[in-house]
């Protein structure tokens, strides 16, 4: 009976998703920056919201008229779950509806410009209607989707009704996957295999923006090479490719300028070709912070702007796109080092979640800048977007300050054999494509992570990941970055790591095993790290390690959950890391990074290992206040920044 109901919901759900979808990888979907040819307007505000308790809204065609009865106010962007006192909203599984009205300015309507409606993200399935007409659907919670709504705007001077339905149901073929069981009309149980709350809703901004009818649709720019002389960069070659879309593409001409931070044009290509190169003399490199010969994490990294000008037969101009975060830098890996600009880089920092009180996963500028300040306070130089692509602003700020990012897909919890299905594989490729399309130009992104903790011990995972890695290499073409995934398997059972460039492993010795035995860490962790290296001969990153800690709980000798335990736990891990570090041991080291789990305490589902539905592995509380362990990390990272900056002897210039 339960299975029958589950299937019914699944089919209803999929039926609703038929029609126009914007998951296709057509269109560059460049970040909408405003300029003299393009306007950007935010639709963020308080929207009307209605919970679809019985998931009947699609069948009853709620999109045909204004939402009525039991509507409430809902901020956009925000997850909806923690906004009210209503437990049904907190744990809702299924459809939720949003609505707002807006006008389009007459100047937009009287031009031939495209009027694009863009969602920076909504979780998980989204359907969008303009005045009752369906304009787009999108699957996936963390990447943008958009469409030109001009064809749907029929009359001037009339407010436009925008209706959005979002469904957070996860299925065996979604990413992340999940399984829904309907136990009763009021009890819909969504089982997942990941450790964070399945926050839902329109959790990132909604924008309207214009572009000319024939417009710059996509820009890709890559550092092809940098020449060094005596450790100084003397020249660099950038390659670019441009896509123009619209009715007039044959008659257009493209000019590409590279503009430095002082506004000077330092390289130009006026060949008109859609693919080209730029030669830069004496380039200022984009450097990660806190490493030999680089800058402090509180200082800016060097960024250029790529200005693409589109004109009709050389003149006049018809569109401009300025990509403001172009970093000249290379990324390469050897069997034991991770090199940025030919210098060994060591990842050190804290992974996080997009998670906070009240907003859930809702994007917020205050949280972003606090995140940056805490990162700088810690002297962290990197993080992984665990376990999904983050809001664009994280990458933009990381570009500015030289914080390095491992960009991860939402493929977390691929733990069952049936999840390695052809349908999931197709969707996984889709998501990788969408992530690379969005993030390919960020200098801060130095590596793609295709999954977190899949069951990569299963035989099914072998060809699954072989295919995915080959696909990722094929689509990233010239924007070459190493590829990784995160494993929690034992190296002797690992099937997928052979296909990747870097080994990322999550290890929780003396936390999820050998409880309380801090004295065992040196033995267990040493054997494990050495085992991965011996087996795969690839650079290794400890992509997670950590211990839950209740602020204010003290114990000496240390016991689990106390602040002392977290501090001592970290110190024991660090002793082992130092033995293997590729920076500290330039001849035999192969460990290229350590990223603690987690920067902040975060919300989870309820369960007997999660007091108050929280994961307490944060070195900061959910309110961003430090626990004692934050000071241990801060000291360590500060030393790394100072000592490493001076020990530039380990610089390898090739
Ligand atoms: C992991 C997962 C992470 C969890 C963490 C934990 O390995 O990657 O999502 O939150 O363990 O604390 O259990």
């Amino acid at each position: 009976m339960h299975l029958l109901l589950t299937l019914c919901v699944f089919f209803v759900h999929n039926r609703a998703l038929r029609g126009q979808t914007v998951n296709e990888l057509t269109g560059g979907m460049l970040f909408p920056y405003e300029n003299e040819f393009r306007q950007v307007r935010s639709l963020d505000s308080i929207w009307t919201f209605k919970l679809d308790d019985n998931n009947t809204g699609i069948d009853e065609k709620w999109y045909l008229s204004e939402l009525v009865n039991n509507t409430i106010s809902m901020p956009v962007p925000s997850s909806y779950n923690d906004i009210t006192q209503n437990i049904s909203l907190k744990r809702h599984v299924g459809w939720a509806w949003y609505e707002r009205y807006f006008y389009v300015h007459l100047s937009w309507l009287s031009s031939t410009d495209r009027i694009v409606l863009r969602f920076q993200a909504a979780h998980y399935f989204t359907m969008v209607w303009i005045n009752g007409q369906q304009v787009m659907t999108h699957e996936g919670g963390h990447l943008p989707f958009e469409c030109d709504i001009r064809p749907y705007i029929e009359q001037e001077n009339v407010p436009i009704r925008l209706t959005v339905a979002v469904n957070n149901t996860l299925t065996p073929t979604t990413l992340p996957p999940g399984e829904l069981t309907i136990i009763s009309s009021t009890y819909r149980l969504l089982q997942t295999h990941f450790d964070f709350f399945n926050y839902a809703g329109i959790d990132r901004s909604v924008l309207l923006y214009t572009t000319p009818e024939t417009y710059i649709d996509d820009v890709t720019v890559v550092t092809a090479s940098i020449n060094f002389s005596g450790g100084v960069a003397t020249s660099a070659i950038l390659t670019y490719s441009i896509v123009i879309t619209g009715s007039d593409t044959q008659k257009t001409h493209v000019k590409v300028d590279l503009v430095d931070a002082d506004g000077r044009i330092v390289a130009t290509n006026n060949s008109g070709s859609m693919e080209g190169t730029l030669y830069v003399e004496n380039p200022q490199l984009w450097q990660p912070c806190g490493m030999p010969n680089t800058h402090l994490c509180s200082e800016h990294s060097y960024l250029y702007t790529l200005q693409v000008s589109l004109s009709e037969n050389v003149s006049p101009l018809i569109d401009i796109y300025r990509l403001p975060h172009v970093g000249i830098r290379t990324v390469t890996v050897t069997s034991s080092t991770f090199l940025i600009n030919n210098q060994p880089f060591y990842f050190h920092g804290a992974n996080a979640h997009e998670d906070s009180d009240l907003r859930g996963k809702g994007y917020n500028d205050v949280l972003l800048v606090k995140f940056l300040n805490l990162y700088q306070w810690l002297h962290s130089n990197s993080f992984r977007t665990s376990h999904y692509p983050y809001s664009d602003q994280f990458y933009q700020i990381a570009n500015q300050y030289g914080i390095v990012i491992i960009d991860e897909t939402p493929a977390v919890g691929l733990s069952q054999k049936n999840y390695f299905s052809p349908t999931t594989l197709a969707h996984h490729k889709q998501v990788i494509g969408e992530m690379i399309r969005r993030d390919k130009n960020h200098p801060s992104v130095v590596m793609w992570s295709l999954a977190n903790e899949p069951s990569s011990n299963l035989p099914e995972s072998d060809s699954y990941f072989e295919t995915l890695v080959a696909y990722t290499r094929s689509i990233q073409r010239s924007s070459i970055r190493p590829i990784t995934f995160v494993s929690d398997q034992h190296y002797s059972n690992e099937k997928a790591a052979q296909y990747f460039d870097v080994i990322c492993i999550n290890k929780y010795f003396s936390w999820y095993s050998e409880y309380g035995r801090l004295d065992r860490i040196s033995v267990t962790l040493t054997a494990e790290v050495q085992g991965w290296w011996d087996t795969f001969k690839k650079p290794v990153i400890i992509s997670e390690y950590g211990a839950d800690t209740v602020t204010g709980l003290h114990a000496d000798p240390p016991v689990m959950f106390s602040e002392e335990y977290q501090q001592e736990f970290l110190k024991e891990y660090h002793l082992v890391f130092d033995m293997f570090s590729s920076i500290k041991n330039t001849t035999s080291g192969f460990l290229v990074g350590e990223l603690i789990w987690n920067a902040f305490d975060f919300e989870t589902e309820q369960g007997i290992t999660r007091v108050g539905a929280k994961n307490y592995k944060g070195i900061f509380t959910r309110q961003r206040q430090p626990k004692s362990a934050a000071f241990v990390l801060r000291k360590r990272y500060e030393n790394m920044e100072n000592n490493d900056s001076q020990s530039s002897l380990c610089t390898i210039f090739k």
Side-chain angles (χ1 to χ4, degrees), residues 546-608:
D548 287 76
T549 304
V550 178
T551 322
L553 182 67
H554 292 287
D556 183 28
V559 297
M560 292 173 81
F561 293 97
S562 68
E563 295 209 31
E564 286 74 14
Y565 194 88
Q566 193 181 32
Q567 290 183 70
E568 295 309 312
F569 180 97
L570 297 190
K571 288 180 191 162
E572 288 294 327
Y573 271 70
H574 296 162
L575 287 174
V576 178
F577 297 162
D578 287 344
M579 260 165 42
F580 293 120
S581 158
S582 65
I583 296 275
K584 293 195 191 304
N585 314 288
T586 46
T587 46
S588 59
F590 54 83
L591 190 74
V592 299
E594 53 183 75
L595 295 167
I596 193 185
W597 193 255
N598 190 285
F600 314 111
D601 295 342
F602 61 90
E603 188 84 355
T604 65
E605 292 293 345
Q606 298 189 53
I608 51 168

Side-chain angles (χ1 to χ4, degrees), residues 615-644:
N615 183 314
Y616 280 112
K617 292 197 184 66
I619 49 165
F620 297 98
T621 63
R622 201 183 193 206
Q623 294 71 34
R624 281 40 179 175
Q625 297 305 326
K627 301 180 190 173
S628 310
F631 296 92
V632 173
L633 271 192
R634 181 175 194 234
K635 185 100 207 110
R636 176 170 173 80
Y637 295 168
E638 193 179 5
N639 282 340
M640 285 182 174
E641 194 169 78
N642 293 334
N643 298 337
D644 292 345

Side-chain angles (χ1 to χ4, degrees), residues 195 387 452-453 506 508 512 544 597 602 610 615 617:
D195 180 36
H387 299 303
N452 181 68
E453 298 188 352
N506 294 347
Y508 289 94
Y512 286 126
E544 285 182 28
W597 193 255
F602 61 90
R610 294 291 175 255
N615 183 314
K617 292 197 184 66

Side-chain angles (χ1 to χ4, degrees), residues 62-77:
W62 289 5
Y63 47 87
L64 286 183
S65 54
E66 183 168 288
L67 295 177
V68 287
N69 302 329
N70 304 320
T71 59
I72 60 171
S73 296
M74 186 59 68
V76 171

Side-chain angles (χ1 to χ4, degrees), residues 18 111 144 171 217 229 246 259 277 301 307-308 377 406 418 457 535 548 599 603 626 639 648:
R18 259 191 246 133
S111 74
T171 74
D217 179 39
S229 170
V259 182
T277 56
S301 269
Q307 178 169 293
V308 182
W377 180 85
I406 302 171
N418 61 316
N457 57 328
T535 313
D548 287 76
E603 188 84 355
N639 282 340
S648 48

Side-chain angles (χ1 to χ4, degrees), residues 147 216 248 294 341 358 395 439-440 487 496 516 590 600:
C147 78
I216 300 158
D248 241 352
T294 68
N341 300 331
L358 309 181
Y395 304 79
D439 296 337
K440 63 191 171 192
S487 177
F590 54 83
F600 314 111

